[in-house]
């Protein structure tokens, strides 16, 4: 009886270790796979230029078609920031500092993160579904069989489109956010225009804009690789394609948050190394 | 379409175009191909037969390394495909044409763009030249000019298959792999495609490997027939290729499985099915 129970315990422990071991191995091999995928994207990126014909439609898809939704999100986030922080700052009689708070937040955090998230949802998952369908219907094999490398033909243009256009979309999101925040603060809440702008100019500098744009480029790289990787490794069937699209968005989003934190820490370290006496809001 | 500046030496011409050595492919626990050895000389047209699911498509894909073998090697024109870099592999594949079982057309492109794709990727031909070639190829497979502007989704299954065929032939490759080129076509179209395969062979002296269930195709185009048997149905120690010889010997083969396949008789397989039906009833 006793031996039996300990035997069962040992078995279940065994299973548990085995299961977790399996999960860990799968996770590591997926990361390894993705690293190889990223490496070969880089290889084809530098070894041969993509054709104009393949790049243009994707630039249009990623950039032009994403502009409205990014602009809309930016505008509303700018206004929401004004709504949320006005009351707190009014109690301190510092409502003109809103200009600094809103625009700093937009340039450093919300602009890049929101632009990237919108792009991951609008383009990243569609891309994974498109490439996944191509994988499932053997179109990717067909490319290889005709002597065209699928990474060079399909992934490199998408990668370039993301990396080139995400800073532009971030600028758009930040700009519309600044406009939206200004509109709400000055026109609706009646904050003094002169002081609002003065505070903005005083506290928000080109470093903040650079900070946001630098982050956005990393977001773009991560999203492009994750989305294309999910598409290329799609499993058969309509379900597989759906899963690839979902995974592309979820993984991109998690990576964006993770990168945001890590880049925030390291960019701050760079800033304080360059300019030891930074300016402060208060 | 020879890319090399130097004419091939006699030694190069004599060596087989494809040499498969001890090839095995498995997917997870499932063993699909086991210890296949094949040597295919230049200019031969070989037909691969075998029941559905025995691994014919997998074999064809392994030959151009769309699937990496679990064990063993494939040599194409004397080069081990496993040792080639991505770039070299890509340039070797330009020498091959592959007709996919399900056509595998690019669904975002028109028929014309599909067929001209390899030309646009690998040559500097003018648009006029390309258009002419595409027209000629489409006419060969019995498709009218009006089909050129259509998307693959607007075509019937048989038409799609023929577009796939036209696309594989457009570069005039040295080696063509056909995966069931006549399945799903009406008897007349099948005959046209059989004729096309023979004509292609006469004109460009290509090497062809054809997967087919169609005994008419086998009789008309094959110099050599290879039959593979699914791994689970093999006796222990038996090689997976249960027949390898000229088509005339197919009928005389002593192996019952080969004779039954050729005549289209289910034999003891029918008994198996009846047995399982009786159990479930
Ligand atoms: N990508 C894959 N992953 C897992 N298993 C596969 C894969 N491709 C093929 N198989 C398995 O390999 C076996 C052989 O498949 P294959 O497509 O080569 O059959 P086939 O001989 O071409 O059949 P058919 O005549 O019906 O086309 C099948 O049992 C299939 O389940
Ligand atoms: Mg098949």
């Amino acid at each position: 009886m006793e031996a039996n129970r300990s035997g069962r315990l040992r078995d279940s422990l065994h299973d548990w270790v085995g299961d977790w071991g399996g999960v860990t191995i799968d996770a590591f091999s997926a990361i390894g796979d993705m690293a190889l995928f990223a490496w070969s994207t880089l290889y084809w990126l530098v070894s041969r230029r993509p054709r104009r014909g393949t790049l243009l439609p994707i630039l249009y898809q990623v950039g032009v078609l994403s502009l409205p939704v990014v602009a809309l999100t930016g505008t509303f986030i700018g206004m929401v920031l004004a709504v949320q922080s006005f009351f707190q700052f009014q109690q301190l009689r510092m409502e003109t500092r809103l200009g600094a708070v809103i625009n700093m937040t937009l340039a450093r955090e919300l602009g890049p993160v929101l632009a990237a998230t919108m792009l991951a949802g609008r383009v990243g998952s569609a891309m994974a579904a498109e490439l996944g369908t191509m994988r499932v219907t053997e179109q990717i094999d067909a490319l290889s069989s005709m002597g065209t490398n699928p990474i060079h033909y399909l992934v490199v243009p998408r990668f370039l489109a993301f990396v080139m256009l995400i800073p532009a979309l971030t600028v758009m999101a930040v700009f519309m956010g600044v406009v939206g925040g200004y509109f709400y603060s000055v026109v609706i809440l009646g904050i003094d225009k002169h002081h609002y702008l003065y505070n903005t100019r005083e506290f928000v500098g080109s470093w903040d804009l650079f900070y946001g744009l630098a982050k956005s480029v990393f977001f773009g790289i991560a999203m492009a690789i994750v989305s294309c990787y999910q598409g290329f490794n799609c499993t058969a069937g309509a379900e597989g394609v759906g899963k690839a699209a979902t995974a592309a968005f979820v993984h991109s989003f998690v990576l964006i948050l993770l990168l945001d934190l890590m880049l925030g820490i390291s960019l701050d370290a760079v800033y304080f190394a360059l300019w030891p006496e930074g300016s402060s809001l208060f | 379409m020879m890319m090399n500046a130097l004419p091939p030496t006699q030694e190069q011409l004599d060596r087989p175009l494809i040499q498969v050595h001890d090839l095995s492919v498995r997917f997870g626990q499932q063993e699909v191909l086991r210890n296949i050895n094949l040597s295919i000389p230049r200019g031969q047209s070989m037909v691969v037969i075998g029941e559905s699911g025995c691994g014919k498509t997998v074999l064809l894909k392994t030959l151009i390394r769309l699937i990496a073998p679990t064990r063993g090697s494939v040599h194409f024109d004397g080069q081990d495909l496993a040792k080639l870099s991505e770039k070299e592999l890509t340039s070797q594949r330009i020498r091959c044409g592959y007709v996919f079982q399900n056509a595998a057309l690019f669904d975002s492109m028109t028929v014309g763009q599909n067929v001209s794709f390899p030309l646009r990727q690998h040559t500097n031909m003018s648009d006029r030249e390309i258009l002419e070639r595409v027209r000629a190829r489409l006419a060969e497979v019995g498709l009218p000019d009006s089909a050129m502007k259509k998307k693959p989704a607007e075509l019937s299954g048989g038409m799609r298959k023929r577009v796939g065929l036209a696309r594989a032939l457009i570069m005039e490759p040295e080696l063509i792999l056909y995966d069931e080129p006549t399945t799903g076509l009406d008897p007349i179209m099948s005959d046209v495609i059989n004729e096309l395969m023979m004509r292609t062979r006469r004109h460009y002296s290509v090497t062809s490997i054809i997967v087919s269930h169609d005994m008419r195709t086998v009789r008309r185009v094959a110099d050599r027939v290879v039959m593979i048997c699914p791994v689970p149905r093999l006796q222990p120690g038996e090689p997976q290729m249960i027949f390898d010889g000229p088509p005339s010997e197919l009928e005389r083969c002593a192996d019952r499985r080969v004779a039954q396949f050729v005549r289209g008789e289910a034999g003891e397989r029918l008994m198996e099915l009846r047995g399982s039906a009786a159990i479930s009833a």
Side-chain angles (χ1 to χ4, degrees):
Chain A
M1 184 70 209
E2 189 57 28
N4 195 358
R5 190 191 295 163
S6 80
R8 220 181 304 150
L9 187 71
R10 203 181 51 221
D11 279 354
S12 70
L13 191 70
H14 201 188
D15 284 352
W16 187 81
V17 171
D19 287 351
W20 275 100
V23 169
T24 318
I25 288 169
D26 284 353
F28 273 101
S29 73
I31 290 173
D33 259 10
M34 204 172 330
L36 280 179
F37 187 81
W39 172 249
S40 81
T41 306
L42 207 69
Y43 169 77
W44 283 103
L45 180 72
V46 295
S47 68
R48 207 181 292 164
R49 257 189 322 140
R51 306 188 161 225
R52 274 250 310 282
T54 61
L55 192 55
L56 277 180
I58 293 162
L59 287 177
Y60 180 76
Q61 162 84 0
V62 173
V64 179
L65 296 183
S66 302
L67 260 188
V69 62
V70 167
L72 187 81
T73 319
T75 318
F76 276 85
I77 287 300
M79 296 198 289
V80 167
L81 278 176
V83 175
Q84 293 296 338
S85 32
F86 176 68
F87 185 66
Q88 310 286 331
F89 278 76
Q90 195 190 27
Q91 288 192 327
L92 296 169
R93 311 210 146 276
M94 299 224 280
E95 57 266 34
T96 55
R97 283 279 205 273
L98 233 52
V101 175
I102 294 174
N103 296 331
M104 174 95 91
T105 319
L106 278 169
R108 293 174 69 113
E109 275 308 317
L110 290 178
V113 170
L114 282 175
T117 313
M118 295 318 291
L119 217 57
R122 212 199 74 83
V123 185
S125 55
M127 222 171 241
E130 185 192 355
L131 296 180
T133 308
M134 290 185 76
R135 160 67 73 206
V136 171
T137 55
E138 294 184 313
Q139 292 177 55
I140 292 183
D141 281 348
L143 274 177
S144 304
S145 82
M146 287 186 278
T148 297
N149 185 282
I151 301 234
H152 178 249
Y153 185 78
L154 296 171
V155 180
V156 166
R158 283 166 173 77
F159 179 85
L160 279 177
F162 264 105
V163 173
M164 279 163 28
L165 290 177
I166 205 174
L169 289 167
T170 301
V171 167
M172 187 65 181
V174 173
F175 174 75
M176 292 310 286
V178 169
V179 171
Y182 177 86
F183 169 78
Y184 201 87
S185 311
V186 174
V187 179
I188 296 188
L189 297 174
I191 297 171
D192 179 67
K193 177 170 123 192
H194 179 77
H195 283 103
Y196 185 89
L197 287 178
Y198 173 80
N199 275 321
T200 304
R201 223 172 288 134
E202 195 68 357
F203 292 109
V204 188
S206 42
W207 168 258
D208 299 298
L209 200 58
F210 166 78
Y211 184 98
L213 291 183
K215 286 202 299 191
S216 79
V217 171
F218 284 93
F219 298 162
I221 292 174
M223 271 190 308
I225 295 293
V226 167
S227 305
C228 293
Y229 174 81
Q230 288 296 339
F232 265 57
N233 290 280
C234 179
T235 53
E239 195 195 348
V241 174
K243 268 194 197 144
T246 314
F249 178 72
V250 174
H251 293 187
S252 297
F253 191 55
V254 172
L255 260 182
I256 288 170
L257 295 178
L258 211 77
L259 279 175
D260 193 33
L261 179 66
M262 294 194 312
L263 289 169
I265 295 170
S266 28
L267 283 170
D268 274 346
V270 171
Y271 183 80
F272 286 114
L274 290 178
W275 297 281
E277 58 283 341
S279 59
S280 135
L281 260 189
F282 296 103
Chain B
M1 265 291 98
M2 271 320 286
M3 304 275 168
N4 301 358
L6 295 172
T9 61
Q10 193 56 40
E11 185 196 355
Q12 277 171 340
L13 284 175
D14 286 345
R15 110 184 131 202
L17 188 63
I18 290 189
Q19 198 138 32
V20 174
H21 183 67
D22 215 12
L23 178 88
S24 300
V25 176
R26 51 165 67 240
F27 295 107
Q29 291 302 310
Q30 185 193 8
E31 192 171 26
V32 177
L33 296 177
R34 177 193 288 173
N35 301 344
I36 300 269
N37 285 293
L38 256 181
S39 166
I40 304 167
R42 260 167 229 279
Q44 191 171 59
S45 71
M46 186 183 93
V47 174
V48 181
I49 59 176
E51 65 178 83
S52 180
C54 67
K56 304 183 294 295
T57 301
V58 171
L59 175 63
L60 230 50
K61 285 190 174 170
T62 319
L63 293 184
I64 56 169
R65 214 175 162 80
L66 292 178
I67 294 176
T70 319
R71 217 157 35 92
S73 66
V74 176
H75 287 256
F76 176 75
D77 203 6
Q79 292 164 298
D80 186 351
L81 292 185
K83 297 219 172 78
L84 296 184
S85 72
E86 273 297 312
K87 253 190 186 151
E88 290 163 333
L89 193 60
T90 298
S91 62
Q92 291 304 313
R93 281 178 181 148
I94 299 176
R95 300 167 62 187
C96 310
Y98 191 114
V99 182
F100 284 82
Q101 191 167 358
N102 301 309
L105 301 179
F106 303 124
D107 46 23
S108 58
M109 299 182 192
T110 63
V111 168
Q113 287 167 334
N114 261 289
V115 177
S116 61
F117 185 85
L119 290 179
R120 289 196 198 285
Q121 289 290 310
H122 304 301
T123 68
N124 295 320
M125 280 186 204
S126 69
D127 284 357
R128 259 221 3 259
E129 262 176 296
I130 289 181
L131 186 72
E132 245 155 53
R133 276 208 181 203
V134 170
R135 274 221 186 100
R137 281 287 174 278
L138 285 176
E140 272 179 352
V141 296
L143 289 171
D145 272 4
S146 60
M148 208 134 76
K149 295 250 150 46
K150 290 196 172 163
K151 286 278 176 76
E154 300 166 286
L155 301 179
S156 76
M159 288 165 90
R160 242 174 272 162
K161 184 146 243 172
R162 285 181 277 154
V163 176
L165 194 60
R167 185 176 69 179
L169 294 181
I170 196 135
M171 291 287 281
E172 297 174 4
E174 293 166 56
L175 167 73
I176 311 186
L177 307 161
Y178 302 89
D179 199 347
E180 307 198 8
T182 58
T183 312
L185 299 182
D186 61 274
I188 301 199
M189 232 343 129
S190 305
D191 219 32
V192 170
I193 300 298
N194 284 339
E195 181 59 37
L196 175 68
M197 290 195 280
M198 285 172 40
R199 190 146 35 102
T200 312
R201 193 178 155 212
R202 277 200 302 273
H203 282 195
Y204 319 125
S205 67
V206 295
T207 312
S208 10
I209 303 173
I210 304 150
V211 167
S212 184
H213 297 302
D214 189 348
M215 280 304 140
R216 284 162 52 92
T217 306
V218 175
R219 292 203 187 91
R220 288 196 59 184
V221 288
D223 309 330
R224 174 183 178 188
V225 180
V226 163
M227 179 161 174
I228 50 181
C229 182
V231 170
R233 294 195 171 275
L234 291 173
Q235 317 290 329
E238 196 184 18
Q240 197 180 3
M241 268 170 26
I242 54 179
F243 180 86
D244 183 357
S248 53
E249 295 207 348
L250 264 180
E251 327 269 336
R252 279 180 269 138
C253 181
D255 195 318
R256 292 233 325 278
R257 291 168 294 186
V258 178
Q260 281 168 355
F261 189 90
V262 172
R263 288 198 296 271
E265 291 164 357
E268 62 268 25
R269 301 291 295 280
L270 215 51
M271 305 307 283
E272 281 174 31
L273 273 177
R274 287 198 186 120
S276 63
I279 290 165
S280 65

